[in-house]
Amino acid sequence: YGTGDGGDTFYMDSSLKTTLESATSKVVREETQQADVFHTDMSTAFNALTDGGKILLAKTYNIENQNTTWDRKDGSGRVTITRAADFKENLINVKEGYSLTIKGTITIDGGAVWNVTSYPSTNYPSNLTDLTINYNTGIQATASSINVELGGGLTINDGVILCNAENINDGGAISNFGTTKIEGGTLQSNMARNGGAIANYGVLEIKNATLTRNLANVKTPATGVTYGYGGAVYQKKYTSLAETSETLKV
């Protein structure tokens, strides 16, 4: 399934063909230039995208193997994993007892399309300065991009980007109930009710990473501006947060 923009796009799981063709409608018809290509596992799709490209998911990809690693080395082209149109659930779910490590030139894109508008402080209470409100004209999800179940593990390394996720619930890019280590990479332009980038209910360690332009529950002026908790990280009480502050940029 060629995009014509220097890379290919692949759908996961051939059983999704009918669903994808109806759900993605205009986007698919505009981009299709060759026969659709489907893969049943992520490694096969990565190997096929030798020059980079896009992987569309129309259902949650479950990690059910021990010590799964997705490693995209420099020079092999960036691969973006994103939602097919109208898919609003977790892109990736790390199940109990299993782990996923993501490293290299891999982007997990939640499918939000941001339109940025500035509003003067006169529209808001006097203690607020000028604000920039992000309107999403893309996918507003009902779950984070990556969910880590209790007993599951996630590690994010250098080169990885988690971006453009809006979740009406907690955790834009990541909701963590297990153990998550952010050991590099960038989490940017994510939004959720609480925890624009990450909602943590388990064990979370962050070092040598950049978290930027993440928002907690910012609504449009028409409905009022409501702030949630944790633009970058929402830390639920009774959980553990290990943070190396001198190497964390928020």
Side-chain angles (χ1 to χ4, degrees):
Y1 173 88
T3 63
D5 58 359
D8 291 327
T9 300
F10 293 116
Y11 294 131
M12 302 298 296
D13 192 338
S14 59
S15 65
L16 299 174
K17 181 172 172 40
T18 301
T19 302
L20 283 164
E21 287 178 341
S22 60
T24 55
S25 60
K26 182 178 179 182
V27 175
V28 169
R29 287 199 299 270
E30 285 181 342
E31 293 186 345
T32 299
Q33 296 179 10
Q34 302 172 16
D36 295 341
V37 178
F38 297 88
H39 296 283
T40 56
D41 66 90
M42 200 68 72
S43 296
T44 304
F46 282 147
N47 291 336
L49 292 168
T50 55
D51 296 322
K54 186 185 297 182
I55 296 171
L56 295 175
L57 299 181
K59 69 177 182 180
T60 300
Y61 189 90
N62 287 301
I63 302 300
E64 300 177 295
N65 293 311
Q66 289 283 4
N67 303 319
T68 299
T69 299
W70 298 343
D71 186 1
R72 193 76 180 177
K73 301 186 184 303
D74 290 342
S76 57
R78 179 167 291 276
V79 168
T80 297
I81 301 170
T82 191
R83 290 182 170 94
D86 298 324
F87 178 56
K88 299 182 178 182
E89 299 175 13
N90 299 121
L91 280 167
I92 300 160
N93 181 56
V94 184
K95 298 185 74 67
E96 179 183 1
Y98 302 105
S99 64
L100 171 65
T101 297
I102 308 176
K103 59 177 68 175
T105 52
I106 296 173
T107 296
I108 311 295
D109 189 314
V113 178
W114 301 112
N115 290 275
V116 180
T117 306
S118 295
Y119 290 88
S121 56
T122 53
N123 289 348
Y124 302 96
S126 58
N127 62 326
L128 297 178
T129 58
D130 290 0
L131 298 176
T132 299
I133 305 299
N134 291 273
Y135 290 93
N136 175 17
T137 58
I139 296 173
Q140 184 182 60
T142 57
S144 57
S145 295
I146 304 176
N147 181 67
V148 184
E149 294 184 4
L150 180 66
L154 173 69
T155 301
I156 303 295
N157 290 124
D158 285 342
V160 178
I161 299 172
L162 279 71
C163 62
N164 300 330
E166 181 182 4
N167 179 11
I168 63 172
N169 297 301
D170 294 349
I174 299 171
S175 53
N176 176 53
F177 297 87
T179 299
T180 290
K181 297 181 179 180
I182 311 294
E183 299 179 339
T186 300
L187 287 80
Q188 68 181 31
S189 303
N190 301 292
M191 184 163 70
R193 179 177 61 186
N194 295 302
I198 304 170
N200 181 47
Y201 309 93
V203 178
L204 173 65
E205 180 179 346
I206 304 174
K207 58 183 179 181
N208 301 317
T210 299
L211 284 74
T212 183
R213 299 196 304 275
N214 300 291
L215 302 173
N217 201 28
V218 178
K219 296 182 180 180
T220 68
T223 58
V225 178
T226 304
Y227 294 92
Y229 295 98
V233 178
Y234 174 61
Q235 173 66 25
K236 184 69 173 177
K237 193 175 181 181
Y238 306 126
T239 56
S240 172
L241 173 66
E243 175 183 313
T244 307
S245 59
E246 63 269 19
T247 58
L248 173 62
K249 300 177 181 178
V250 180

